[in-house]
Amino acid sequence: MLNFKKGDTLTFGKYYQENSAEKKLIKWTVLDSSDDKVLLLSKYVIDAKPYNSSLVNTTWERCSLRTWLNGEFATNAFSLQEKNLIVTTRISTPSFKHPFRVGGGGLTSNPNIVPGGNDVNDKIFLLSFEEVKKYFKQNTELNYVLKAVVPWASDAIINDVAGVYPELKCNPTNFAKSKNVYGSDKEGAWWWFRSPGNTSQMATSTMNGIILYHPGVEVNDTTLGIRPALWVKKEAFYTDDEKREIAEKEALRKRKLEEERKRQQVAKWKNDNLCQYCGNKFKGVFSKKCRVCGIKKDY
């Protein structure tokens, strides 16, 4: 598969799907592609875990879910060869500016800026809210659905409070259901993003394709699902024929580079009145020969 398109389904690694006794291939959806790697998001909610093991102020950098994804999950889901094909990525989680803050008498219009934490280097991560907006389309025509979820929000501010992204709706595996993930096959499962909620004890999530920017979900909630994301080298998905084709093209590219390097080197030697074959000086007055290789000057 030399071409990767957004929405393609790939398999990579193995994890529990039907039960905790047998691992099966993990299905992934392609979100993005660059020259040599693809960004994948698990096609299903594969497990249920808290964002953080305790209800304290936290960020993606410090949360227990990040530790689990890059530790226990990575070890269980991927072979050593597969882990070497996962690209370590610089992960930035922007601070989140919520348009509302809970005040003494209710919601106020004071913006609430919650820190996203320091940048980190991860192999496996969760999507941020910014990445959701980049890779998924909001459907404002479905805003009427939001009124049932946030009935207090006026039509003027509802897009500042929540949004409908139908493509985010995702079913849980039977294994995730056994872990008491919130949701169903009909409604889809709730699952985490790495972005903060309206306090550092909250994190953003989606339910049935709806994202609540305010207030988020308490980080120690154990019923939210997990959809890991990761960048993987494209070579992980090439067939043997494609690998040979790529190797041949790479070998041809290197040969052309070497030929061009040699051409430039010979041109420089000639310009410096040196032997064009080895770059050394000539000897003799009339019949000049190279002092090293003995070849007569022929230019």
Side-chain angles (χ1 to χ4, degrees):
M1 182 182 288
L2 292 173
N3 296 314
F4 297 83
K5 302 187 300 297
K6 183 180 178 181
D8 284 346
T9 298
L10 302 174
T11 57
F12 183 71
K14 291 183 177 181
Y15 195 64
Y16 306 111
Q17 309 279 333
E18 298 299 325
N19 52 55
S20 60
E22 181 185 9
K23 297 177 186 177
K24 293 185 178 181
L25 289 171
I26 305 172
K27 292 184 178 181
W28 305 86
T29 299
V30 175
L31 292 185
D32 201 357
S33 175
S34 68
D35 290 340
D36 60 351
K37 60 184 180 179
V38 286
L39 175 60
L40 305 179
L41 176 69
S42 65
K43 190 168 185 177
Y44 302 104
V45 169
I46 63 171
D47 207 332
K49 294 274 184 184
Y51 186 91
N52 195 61
S53 56
S54 58
L55 186 60
V56 296
N57 290 342
T58 192
T59 60
W60 172 248
E61 175 193 12
R62 296 180 293 163
C63 74
S64 61
L65 185 50
R66 174 177 175 248
T67 301
W68 179 80
L69 282 171
N70 287 277
E72 184 179 339
F73 172 73
T75 299
N76 284 334
F78 307 109
S79 66
L80 179 59
Q81 181 181 9
E82 288 170 334
K83 279 198 279 190
N84 288 335
L85 291 167
I86 301 173
V87 180
T88 299
T89 305
R90 189 70 172 169
I91 299 297
S92 176
T93 305
S95 297
F96 210 23
K97 183 178 180 180
H98 291 261
F100 297 95
R101 169 182 290 160
V102 176
L107 295 170
T108 74
S109 58
N110 261 333
N112 186 26
I113 299 176
V114 184
N118 295 320
D119 290 358
V120 292
N121 295 314
D122 287 340
K123 282 185 173 291
I124 307 170
F125 50 94
L126 302 181
L127 294 182
S128 67
F129 177 53
E130 287 72 23
E131 288 163 339
V132 168
K133 291 189 289 185
K134 177 179 179 180
Y135 296 118
F136 298 92
K137 185 177 180 180
Q138 182 178 4
N139 189 336
T140 55
E141 293 180 359
L142 296 176
N143 277 1
Y144 67 89
V145 177
L146 302 178
K147 296 299 289 184
V149 182
V150 282
W152 51 265
S154 67
D155 292 339
I157 66 170
I158 197 162
N159 281 317
D160 293 326
V161 177
V164 181
Y165 294 77
E167 293 175 310
L168 293 179
K169 182 179 177 181
C170 178
N171 289 341
T173 62
N174 286 332
F175 176 71
K177 293 177 188 176
S178 74
K179 300 293 286 293
N180 297 318
V181 68
Y182 191 83
S184 65
D185 288 337
K186 181 180 179 180
E187 297 178 351
W190 285 35
W191 49 283
W192 294 111
F193 303 130
R194 70 174 188 269
S195 297
N198 73 330
T199 76
S200 292
Q201 294 185 10
M202 299 283 194
T204 309
S205 66
T206 178
M207 60 169 188
N208 198 17
I210 297 173
I211 301 176
L212 296 178
Y213 320 142
H214 172 89
V217 178
E218 290 181 333
V219 294
N220 66 337
D221 191 301
T222 61
T223 64
L224 264 70
I226 303 165
R227 290 184 75 182
L230 65 170
W231 284 94
V232 181
K233 294 178 182 178
K234 288 182 177 178
E235 64 185 85
F237 309 103
Y238 292 150
T239 65
D240 289 342
D241 287 342
E242 288 170 338
K243 289 178 182 177
R244 280 193 292 272
E245 180 183 345
I246 291 170
E248 289 170 359
K249 288 182 178 179
E250 179 63 13
L252 177 61
R253 185 187 70 83
K254 289 182 177 180
R255 283 199 301 271
K256 287 183 177 180
L257 285 175
E258 180 61 18
E259 288 170 0
E260 177 59 19
R261 186 195 68 78
K262 288 181 178 179
R263 187 193 68 77
Q264 292 180 6
Q265 181 65 80
V266 168
K268 184 178 185 304
W269 282 339
K270 286 183 176 181
N271 185 64
D272 295 340
N273 199 31
L274 300 174
C275 173
Q276 67 169 316
Y277 300 104
C278 66
N280 285 284
K281 293 181 178 181
F282 294 106
K283 62 180 180 180
V285 178
F286 300 105
S287 180
K288 293 186 176 182
K289 290 185 178 181
C290 175
R291 294 178 182 273
V292 176
C293 69
I295 297 177
K296 186 177 179 180
K297 182 178 182 183
D298 55 2
Y299 66 88

